[in-house]
Amino acid sequence: MTTPVRRGQWQTAADVLAQVSRRPGITRAAVARELRLSTSSATEVTARLRDVRLLTEVPAPSQGRGRPTTVLRAHPQGPVVLALDLRQGSWRSAVVALDGSFLEQQSRRHRSRRPQAVLGNLRKVVEQVQEQYGDRLRLVSLAAPGTIRDNRLMQAPTLNWVDLDLETVTAGTNVPLLAGNDATLSGVAEARTGAAAGAGTALHLIVEVGIGGTLLIDGVPAQGASGAGGEYGHIPFDDAKRECPCGARGCWDLEIDGRALARHLKEPTPEDPYAYTEAVLRRTDRTAGRAVTRVVTALATGIAGLVNAHDPDVVTVGGLAIPLRAAAEPAFEQAYLAGLMTFHRGSPPPVLPATHQPDGPLRGAAALALDRLTSEPSIASWADRR
């Protein structure tokens, strides 16, 4: 056994674990280079982390001839988080280890959209995972399609939910909850290990029912004073007479999904705008094509405005933004460039499809939870218990 360390001496260990969670399969030598540690220091720190069941080393996948090496992985008896992704019609869950690996996953459709029923089903998942993992379950991280403030869902227009305490999901378990907006968490996933990895400033947008997103600086979302930042879909965009379910008027949300398509096609507002958009994209008639072009133009124009405001290195888009753009690529490019300030047009930030489809919110929820678990106080608390 190595010599126990005092609470204040876990910072280097926290830095090592942060590298492991952000770069799955990293070697001890690579960690040492990244953190500028000597070989002996890296060896000592990883030994301490093995002693308290946080890390282990396993043989790396064989790559032919050469000296065999090992990679750092989560200890099989180490702490875990539960990531939950609440959608309009379903939910998903994953138990996640310190190295970001998904140990168990499940998904279900909602039998009822009443908040008490949906949140009650999520609480049952938490209880089942706690029963299986005991005190190894350290945090529940929930992605939800709405405005989140201090673990309260202030409004979720797509679910018709208003002002709900999401901590009912962990009630009675003594496990902390970390709740966040699904589009924000999708952006975290893209910035950490997806299409925006390595970008200093990245803008992520996702279209499902309406549009949401986030601005990320070095992989961290800019969430605003109360955690409700990134509600880009509620920027005033067009017809101020048209009221949005959020309470504002003329929102961008109303111009870029199935509700806009139905309006352009002079059809009733669909109950499921997501499925309606998919159906319209399968049509080959000119009327549908013109409606899609109008929506894609609105999407690209709004993205250009956000580029002018934020000056990102890269823009990533997910959800229905990908097939919509593909259906009217020339219109997208024309509107995007036309909306940019002149100095951006020579080298416009690329607009890239998201890598983590469709599990971006789940992976982002896991990533922010692991940030908490790999902090010095969290490591010290776990080590004291061991």
Side-chain angles (χ1 to χ4, degrees):
M1 296 284 289
T2 58
T3 303
V5 295
R6 295 188 302 275
R7 180 177 295 270
Q9 292 178 300
W10 286 107
Q11 184 56 58
T12 302
D15 294 339
V16 170
L17 286 177
Q19 290 293 317
V20 172
S21 69
R22 292 194 181 206
R23 297 173 58 186
I26 194 171
T27 65
R28 192 191 331 152
V31 167
R33 288 193 300 271
E34 188 70 26
L35 299 179
R36 298 182 180 180
L37 299 175
S38 66
T39 300
S40 60
S41 294
T43 300
E44 181 182 4
V45 172
T46 53
R48 290 172 180 169
L49 292 171
R50 283 197 303 271
D51 287 347
V52 294
R53 300 181 182 179
L54 284 168
L55 278 188
T56 189
E57 289 188 79
V58 300
S62 176
Q63 296 182 352
R65 295 182 178 181
R67 184 178 180 180
T69 187
T70 59
V71 296
L72 300 175
R73 300 299 300 269
H75 194 284
Q77 296 301 316
V80 298
V81 302
L82 175 63
L84 298 169
D85 178 16
L86 173 61
R87 300 291 182 93
Q88 182 184 16
S90 63
W91 58 263
R92 298 179 62 197
S93 71
V95 177
V96 188
L98 271 182
D99 58 4
S101 56
F102 283 15
L103 305 180
E104 298 178 31
Q105 297 185 65
Q106 59 176 312
S107 62
R108 295 286 189 279
R109 299 286 301 176
H110 299 318
R111 293 183 178 179
S112 166
R113 292 192 184 180
R114 292 186 302 109
Q116 296 84 354
V118 174
L119 298 181
N121 287 333
L122 294 181
R123 184 170 62 250
K124 290 178 183 178
V125 176
V126 175
E127 292 169 349
Q128 292 167 0
V129 172
Q130 187 178 47
E131 182 177 354
Q132 181 177 355
Y133 287 89
D135 70 350
R136 292 176 58 198
L137 177 61
R138 309 295 289 174
L139 187 66
V140 175
S141 188
L142 170 64
T147 305
I148 308 293
R149 177 185 293 170
D150 298 328
N151 284 344
R152 294 192 73 86
L153 184 62
M154 305 309 296
Q155 57 181 7
T158 63
L159 289 166
N160 293 318
W161 292 1
V162 178
D163 196 18
L164 293 173
D165 183 4
L166 295 176
E167 291 191 355
T168 59
V169 171
T170 56
T173 65
N174 296 320
V175 181
L177 177 72
L178 176 64
N181 173 265
D182 57 351
T184 297
L185 295 172
S186 290
V188 171
E190 293 304 316
R192 298 291 178 85
T193 58
T201 303
L203 174 66
H204 178 71
L205 299 165
I206 182 170
V207 176
E208 289 188 345
V209 179
I211 187 167
T214 186
L215 180 72
L216 300 114
I217 309 297
D218 294 329
V220 178
Q223 295 181 305
S226 62
E231 293 288 352
Y232 294 125
H234 304 291
I235 294 174
F237 184 82
D238 194 17
D239 188 354
K241 296 180 181 179
R242 189 172 294 123
E243 185 173 3
C244 178
C246 78
R249 293 181 176 275
C251 291
W252 189 26
D253 254 9
L254 303 177
E255 307 302 323
I256 45 75
D257 67 7
R259 292 168 295 183
L261 288 171
R263 195 168 64 248
H264 299 325
L265 291 168
K266 296 181 172 53
E267 295 180 358
T269 301
E271 291 187 7
D272 186 342
Y274 191 101
Y276 182 86
T277 301
E278 292 181 314
V280 172
L281 287 171
R282 290 192 292 268
R283 290 170 53 173
T284 57
D285 58 282
R286 291 184 179 180
T287 304
R290 285 193 293 268
V292 168
T293 296
R294 290 182 67 178
V295 165
V296 169
T297 298
L299 174 63
T301 300
I303 292 175
L306 292 175
V307 167
N308 293 338
H310 291 312
D311 190 26
D313 297 301
V314 63
V315 181
T316 55
V317 295
L320 290 171
I322 296 174
L324 280 167
R325 175 184 178 178
E329 181 71 33
F332 182 94
E333 293 298 329
Q334 181 179 357
Y336 177 52
L337 291 175
L340 292 176
M341 298 170 69
T342 303
F343 82 95
H344 276 307
R345 293 179 191 164
S347 182
V351 181
L352 304 177
T355 299
H356 296 301
Q357 293 277 1
D359 60 351
L362 199 65
R363 292 190 176 278
L368 289 192
L370 293 178
D371 285 351
R372 295 277 186 96
L373 252 64
T374 56
S375 67
E376 183 179 7
S378 181
I379 295 169
S381 174
W382 173 268
D384 285 348
R385 289 172 171 264
R386 297 303 177 272

